[in-house]
PDB file of all heavy atoms in Angstrom:
ATOM      1  N   LEU A  19     -33.276 -21.159  54.196  1.00  0.00           N
ATOM      2  CA  LEU A  19     -33.190 -20.311  53.017  1.00  0.00           C
ATOM      3  C   LEU A  19     -32.260 -21.031  52.053  1.00  0.00           C
ATOM      4  O   LEU A  19     -31.146 -21.411  52.441  1.00  0.00           O
ATOM      5  CB  LEU A  19     -32.634 -18.935  53.379  1.00  0.00           C
ATOM      6  CG  LEU A  19     -32.423 -17.953  52.248  1.00  0.00           C
ATOM      7  CD1 LEU A  19     -33.763 -17.575  51.631  1.00  0.00           C
ATOM      8  CD2 LEU A  19     -31.703 -16.733  52.741  1.00  0.00           C
ATOM      9  N   PRO A  31     -27.704 -27.564  44.719  1.00  0.00           N
ATOM     10  CA  PRO A  31     -28.605 -26.939  45.694  1.00  0.00           C
ATOM     11  C   PRO A  31     -27.893 -26.741  47.032  1.00  0.00           C
ATOM     12  O   PRO A  31     -27.137 -27.605  47.480  1.00  0.00           O
ATOM     13  CB  PRO A  31     -29.739 -27.955  45.825  1.00  0.00           C
ATOM     14  CG  PRO A  31     -29.121 -29.265  45.480  1.00  0.00           C
ATOM     15  CD  PRO A  31     -28.005 -28.980  44.519  1.00  0.00           C
ATOM     16  N   THR A  32     -28.117 -25.589  47.657  1.00  0.00           N
ATOM     17  CA  THR A  32     -27.565 -25.314  48.988  1.00  0.00           C
ATOM     18  C   THR A  32     -28.645 -24.683  49.854  1.00  0.00           C
ATOM     19  O   THR A  32     -29.536 -23.991  49.354  1.00  0.00           O
ATOM     20  CB  THR A  32     -26.354 -24.365  48.923  1.00  0.00           C
ATOM     21  OG1 THR A  32     -26.741 -23.151  48.295  1.00  0.00           O
ATOM     22  CG2 THR A  32     -25.199 -24.978  48.149  1.00  0.00           C
ATOM     23  N   GLN A  33     -28.545 -24.942  51.140  1.00  0.00           N
ATOM     24  CA  GLN A  33     -29.475 -24.367  52.118  1.00  0.00           C
ATOM     25  C   GLN A  33     -28.708 -23.999  53.373  1.00  0.00           C
ATOM     26  O   GLN A  33     -27.778 -24.695  53.761  1.00  0.00           O
ATOM     27  CB  GLN A  33     -30.560 -25.374  52.509  1.00  0.00           C
ATOM     28  CG  GLN A  33     -31.427 -25.843  51.401  1.00  0.00           C
ATOM     29  CD  GLN A  33     -32.364 -26.962  51.840  1.00  0.00           C
ATOM     30  OE1 GLN A  33     -32.268 -27.480  52.943  1.00  0.00           O
ATOM     31  NE2 GLN A  33     -33.275 -27.336  50.963  1.00  0.00           N
ATOM     32  N   ILE A  34     -29.115 -22.930  54.006  1.00  0.00           N
ATOM     33  CA  ILE A  34     -28.654 -22.590  55.345  1.00  0.00           C
ATOM     34  C   ILE A  34     -29.907 -22.464  56.200  1.00  0.00           C
ATOM     35  O   ILE A  34     -30.910 -21.923  55.747  1.00  0.00           O
ATOM     36  CB  ILE A  34     -27.792 -21.317  55.384  1.00  0.00           C
ATOM     37  CG1 ILE A  34     -27.236 -21.127  56.781  1.00  0.00           C
ATOM     38  CG2 ILE A  34     -28.536 -20.111  54.888  1.00  0.00           C
ATOM     39  CD1 ILE A  34     -26.088 -20.146  56.866  1.00  0.00           C
ATOM     40  N   ALA A  35     -29.861 -22.985  57.400  1.00  0.00           N
ATOM     41  CA  ALA A  35     -31.080 -23.063  58.199  1.00  0.00           C
ATOM     42  C   ALA A  35     -30.776 -22.895  59.674  1.00  0.00           C
ATOM     43  O   ALA A  35     -29.631 -23.024  60.112  1.00  0.00           O
ATOM     44  CB  ALA A  35     -31.768 -24.401  57.965  1.00  0.00           C
ATOM     45  N   PHE A  36     -31.827 -22.617  60.434  1.00  0.00           N
ATOM     46  CA  PHE A  36     -31.700 -22.603  61.889  1.00  0.00           C
ATOM     47  C   PHE A  36     -32.918 -23.270  62.487  1.00  0.00           C
ATOM     48  O   PHE A  36     -33.992 -23.312  61.890  1.00  0.00           O
ATOM     49  CB  PHE A  36     -31.499 -21.182  62.427  1.00  0.00           C
ATOM     50  CG  PHE A  36     -32.699 -20.297  62.284  1.00  0.00           C
ATOM     51  CD1 PHE A  36     -33.610 -20.158  63.314  1.00  0.00           C
ATOM     52  CD2 PHE A  36     -32.918 -19.582  61.122  1.00  0.00           C
ATOM     53  CE1 PHE A  36     -34.720 -19.353  63.185  1.00  0.00           C
ATOM     54  CE2 PHE A  36     -34.018 -18.765  60.981  1.00  0.00           C
ATOM     55  CZ  PHE A  36     -34.921 -18.659  62.017  1.00  0.00           C
ATOM     56  N   TYR A  37     -32.710 -23.820  63.653  1.00  0.00           N
ATOM     57  CA  TYR A  37     -33.792 -24.530  64.329  1.00  0.00           C
ATOM     58  C   TYR A  37     -34.647 -23.543  65.111  1.00  0.00           C
ATOM     59  O   TYR A  37     -34.133 -22.732  65.877  1.00  0.00           O
ATOM     60  CB  TYR A  37     -33.229 -25.567  65.305  1.00  0.00           C
ATOM     61  CG  TYR A  37     -32.538 -26.716  64.631  1.00  0.00           C
ATOM     62  CD1 TYR A  37     -31.178 -26.904  64.756  1.00  0.00           C
ATOM     63  CD2 TYR A  37     -33.256 -27.624  63.871  1.00  0.00           C
ATOM     64  CE1 TYR A  37     -30.547 -27.964  64.152  1.00  0.00           C
ATOM     65  CE2 TYR A  37     -32.631 -28.680  63.256  1.00  0.00           C
ATOM     66  CZ  TYR A  37     -31.274 -28.853  63.401  1.00  0.00           C
ATOM     67  OH  TYR A  37     -30.655 -29.902  62.794  1.00  0.00           O
ATOM     68  N   THR A  48     -27.770 -23.942  64.075  1.00  0.00           N
ATOM     69  CA  THR A  48     -27.790 -23.805  62.619  1.00  0.00           C
ATOM     70  C   THR A  48     -27.278 -25.067  61.944  1.00  0.00           C
ATOM     71  O   THR A  48     -26.556 -25.860  62.542  1.00  0.00           O
ATOM     72  CB  THR A  48     -26.925 -22.623  62.155  1.00  0.00           C
ATOM     73  OG1 THR A  48     -25.582 -22.853  62.562  1.00  0.00           O
ATOM     74  CG2 THR A  48     -27.435 -21.316  62.720  1.00  0.00           C
ATOM     75  N   PHE A  49     -27.664 -25.235  60.673  1.00  0.00           N
ATOM     76  CA  PHE A  49     -27.100 -26.311  59.862  1.00  0.00           C
ATOM     77  C   PHE A  49     -27.062 -25.882  58.410  1.00  0.00           C
ATOM     78  O   PHE A  49     -27.724 -24.936  58.003  1.00  0.00           O
ATOM     79  CB  PHE A  49     -27.861 -27.633  60.030  1.00  0.00           C
ATOM     80  CG  PHE A  49     -29.277 -27.630  59.543  1.00  0.00           C
ATOM     81  CD1 PHE A  49     -29.576 -27.951  58.240  1.00  0.00           C
ATOM     82  CD2 PHE A  49     -30.316 -27.337  60.407  1.00  0.00           C
ATOM     83  CE1 PHE A  49     -30.891 -27.982  57.795  1.00  0.00           C
ATOM     84  CE2 PHE A  49     -31.634 -27.368  59.980  1.00  0.00           C
ATOM     85  CZ  PHE A  49     -31.918 -27.691  58.674  1.00  0.00           C
ATOM     86  N   ILE A  50     -26.253 -26.593  57.636  1.00  0.00           N
ATOM     87  CA  ILE A  50     -26.086 -26.331  56.202  1.00  0.00           C
ATOM     88  C   ILE A  50     -26.338 -27.635  55.462  1.00  0.00           C
ATOM     89  O   ILE A  50     -25.901 -28.697  55.891  1.00  0.00           O
ATOM     90  CB  ILE A  50     -24.666 -25.817  55.893  1.00  0.00           C
ATOM     91  CG1 ILE A  50     -24.440 -24.476  56.580  1.00  0.00           C
ATOM     92  CG2 ILE A  50     -24.437 -25.708  54.391  1.00  0.00           C
ATOM     93  CD1 ILE A  50     -23.017 -23.997  56.516  1.00  0.00           C
ATOM     94  N   ARG A  51     -27.047 -27.556  54.336  1.00  0.00           N
ATOM     95  CA  ARG A  51     -27.255 -28.709  53.463  1.00  0.00           C
ATOM     96  C   ARG A  51     -26.760 -28.316  52.078  1.00  0.00           C
ATOM     97  O   ARG A  51     -27.121 -27.259  51.555  1.00  0.00           O
ATOM     98  CB  ARG A  51     -28.727 -29.098  53.405  1.00  0.00           C
ATOM     99  CG  ARG A  51     -28.987 -30.280  52.489  1.00  0.00           C
ATOM    100  CD  ARG A  51     -30.457 -30.682  52.471  1.00  0.00           C
ATOM    101  NE  ARG A  51     -30.731 -31.468  53.660  1.00  0.00           N
ATOM    102  CZ  ARG A  51     -31.658 -31.176  54.576  1.00  0.00           C
ATOM    103  NH1 ARG A  51     -32.388 -30.098  54.441  1.00  0.00           N
ATOM    104  NH2 ARG A  51     -31.856 -31.943  55.607  1.00  0.00           N
ATOM    105  N   ALA A  52     -25.926 -29.157  51.482  1.00  0.00           N
ATOM    106  CA  ALA A  52     -25.410 -28.923  50.131  1.00  0.00           C
ATOM    107  C   ALA A  52     -25.400 -30.242  49.381  1.00  0.00           C
ATOM    108  O   ALA A  52     -25.263 -31.306  49.988  1.00  0.00           O
ATOM    109  CB  ALA A  52     -24.008 -28.336  50.190  1.00  0.00           C
ATOM    110  N   GLY A  53     -25.547 -30.160  48.065  1.00  0.00           N
ATOM    111  CA  GLY A  53     -25.585 -31.390  47.295  1.00  0.00           C
ATOM    112  C   GLY A  53     -25.414 -31.175  45.811  1.00  0.00           C
ATOM    113  O   GLY A  53     -25.085 -30.080  45.351  1.00  0.00           O
ATOM    114  N   SER A  67     -27.084 -35.338  48.770  1.00  0.00           N
ATOM    115  CA  SER A  67     -26.729 -34.165  49.559  1.00  0.00           C
ATOM    116  C   SER A  67     -26.225 -34.581  50.935  1.00  0.00           C
ATOM    117  O   SER A  67     -26.379 -35.726  51.360  1.00  0.00           O
ATOM    118  CB  SER A  67     -27.913 -33.208  49.697  1.00  0.00           C
ATOM    119  OG  SER A  67     -28.953 -33.818  50.415  1.00  0.00           O
ATOM    120  N   VAL A  68     -25.624 -33.637  51.618  1.00  0.00           N
ATOM    121  CA  VAL A  68     -25.126 -33.852  52.968  1.00  0.00           C
ATOM    122  C   VAL A  68     -25.600 -32.696  53.849  1.00  0.00           C
ATOM    123  O   VAL A  68     -25.622 -31.549  53.418  1.00  0.00           O
ATOM    124  CB  VAL A  68     -23.583 -34.002  52.988  1.00  0.00           C
ATOM    125  CG1 VAL A  68     -22.889 -32.745  52.523  1.00  0.00           C
ATOM    126  CG2 VAL A  68     -23.100 -34.400  54.357  1.00  0.00           C
ATOM    127  N   LYS A  69     -26.026 -33.030  55.061  1.00  0.00           N
ATOM    128  CA  LYS A  69     -26.460 -32.033  56.039  1.00  0.00           C
ATOM    129  C   LYS A  69     -25.395 -31.982  57.129  1.00  0.00           C
ATOM    130  O   LYS A  69     -25.020 -33.007  57.689  1.00  0.00           O
ATOM    131  CB  LYS A  69     -27.804 -32.429  56.637  1.00  0.00           C
ATOM    132  CG  LYS A  69     -28.300 -31.504  57.718  1.00  0.00           C
ATOM    133  CD  LYS A  69     -29.616 -32.020  58.273  1.00  0.00           C
ATOM    134  CE  LYS A  69     -30.003 -31.272  59.515  1.00  0.00           C
ATOM    135  NZ  LYS A  69     -31.173 -31.863  60.153  1.00  0.00           N
ATOM    136  N   THR A  70     -24.884 -30.784  57.414  1.00  0.00           N
ATOM    137  CA  THR A  70     -23.788 -30.639  58.365  1.00  0.00           C
ATOM    138  C   THR A  70     -24.118 -29.615  59.437  1.00  0.00           C
ATOM    139  O   THR A  70     -24.861 -28.664  59.208  1.00  0.00           O
ATOM    140  CB  THR A  70     -22.493 -30.196  57.665  1.00  0.00           C
ATOM    141  OG1 THR A  70     -22.679 -28.898  57.129  1.00  0.00           O
ATOM    142  CG2 THR A  70     -22.096 -31.149  56.571  1.00  0.00           C
ATOM    143  N   HIS A  71     -23.559 -29.836  60.586  1.00  0.00           N
ATOM    144  CA  HIS A  71     -23.544 -28.861  61.679  1.00  0.00           C
ATOM    145  C   HIS A  71     -22.082 -28.469  61.859  1.00  0.00           C
ATOM    146  O   HIS A  71     -21.311 -29.222  62.441  1.00  0.00           O
ATOM    147  CB  HIS A  71     -24.082 -29.457  62.975  1.00  0.00           C
ATOM    148  CG  HIS A  71     -25.522 -29.813  62.910  1.00  0.00           C
ATOM    149  ND1 HIS A  71     -25.961 -31.054  62.543  1.00  0.00           N
ATOM    150  CD2 HIS A  71     -26.632 -29.068  63.147  1.00  0.00           C
ATOM    151  CE1 HIS A  71     -27.279 -31.076  62.575  1.00  0.00           C
ATOM    152  NE2 HIS A  71     -27.711 -29.886  62.927  1.00  0.00           N
ATOM    153  N   GLY A  72     -21.719 -27.321  61.314  1.00  0.00           N
ATOM    154  CA  GLY A  72     -20.306 -26.958  61.319  1.00  0.00           C
ATOM    155  C   GLY A  72     -19.549 -27.905  60.411  1.00  0.00           C
ATOM    156  O   GLY A  72     -19.865 -28.063  59.248  1.00  0.00           O
ATOM    157  N   PHE A  73     -18.549 -28.585  60.950  1.00  0.00           N
ATOM    158  CA  PHE A  73     -17.780 -29.543  60.162  1.00  0.00           C
ATOM    159  C   PHE A  73     -18.160 -30.985  60.479  1.00  0.00           C
ATOM    160  O   PHE A  73     -17.466 -31.908  60.092  1.00  0.00           O
ATOM    161  CB  PHE A  73     -16.282 -29.332  60.404  1.00  0.00           C
ATOM    162  CG  PHE A  73     -15.787 -28.029  59.865  1.00  0.00           C
ATOM    163  CD1 PHE A  73     -15.555 -26.959  60.699  1.00  0.00           C
ATOM    164  CD2 PHE A  73     -15.577 -27.872  58.505  1.00  0.00           C
ATOM    165  CE1 PHE A  73     -15.108 -25.751  60.196  1.00  0.00           C
ATOM    166  CE2 PHE A  73     -15.137 -26.677  57.988  1.00  0.00           C
ATOM    167  CZ  PHE A  73     -14.889 -25.609  58.836  1.00  0.00           C
ATOM    168  N   ASN A  74     -19.267 -31.196  61.180  1.00  0.00           N
ATOM    169  CA  ASN A  74     -19.731 -32.535  61.517  1.00  0.00           C
ATOM    170  C   ASN A  74     -20.915 -32.911  60.630  1.00  0.00           C
ATOM    171  O   ASN A  74     -21.973 -32.300  60.720  1.00  0.00           O
ATOM    172  CB  ASN A  74     -20.169 -32.604  62.985  1.00  0.00           C
ATOM    173  CG  ASN A  74     -19.031 -32.344  63.925  1.00  0.00           C
ATOM    174  OD1 ASN A  74     -17.925 -32.767  63.671  1.00  0.00           O
ATOM    175  ND2 ASN A  74     -19.297 -31.636  65.002  1.00  0.00           N
ATOM    176  N   ALA A  75     -20.735 -33.923  59.781  1.00  0.00           N
ATOM    177  CA  ALA A  75     -21.825 -34.376  58.916  1.00  0.00           C
ATOM    178  C   ALA A  75     -22.827 -35.163  59.740  1.00  0.00           C
ATOM    179  O   ALA A  75     -22.470 -36.048  60.498  1.00  0.00           O
ATOM    180  CB  ALA A  75     -21.280 -35.232  57.787  1.00  0.00           C
ATOM    181  N   GLU A  76     -24.098 -34.807  59.606  1.00  0.00           N
ATOM    182  CA  GLU A  76     -25.148 -35.522  60.320  1.00  0.00           C
ATOM    183  C   GLU A  76     -25.845 -36.522  59.421  1.00  0.00           C
ATOM    184  O   GLU A  76     -26.111 -37.645  59.820  1.00  0.00           O
ATOM    185  CB  GLU A  76     -26.188 -34.546  60.866  1.00  0.00           C
ATOM    186  CG  GLU A  76     -27.334 -35.251  61.559  1.00  0.00           C
ATOM    187  CD  GLU A  76     -28.431 -34.313  61.962  1.00  0.00           C
ATOM    188  OE1 GLU A  76     -29.265 -33.978  61.097  1.00  0.00           O
ATOM    189  OE2 GLU A  76     -28.451 -33.908  63.125  1.00  0.00           O
ATOM    190  N   THR A  77     -26.151 -36.131  58.191  1.00  0.00           N
ATOM    191  CA  THR A  77     -26.957 -36.963  57.311  1.00  0.00           C
ATOM    192  C   THR A  77     -26.414 -36.918  55.891  1.00  0.00           C
ATOM    193  O   THR A  77     -26.076 -35.852  55.391  1.00  0.00           O
ATOM    194  CB  THR A  77     -28.414 -36.457  57.286  1.00  0.00           C
ATOM    195  OG1 THR A  77     -28.894 -36.358  58.619  1.00  0.00           O
ATOM    196  CG2 THR A  77     -29.307 -37.372  56.499  1.00  0.00           C
TER     197      THR A  77
END
Side-chain angles (χ1 to χ4, degrees):
L19 177 65
T32 58
Q33 299 173 352
I34 186 164
F36 69 94
Y37 292 113
T48 61
F49 65 89
I50 296 171
R51 179 178 280 123
S67 64
V68 63
K69 177 182 169 187
T70 65
H71 294 92
F73 293 102
N74 297 322
E76 177 186 82
T77 307

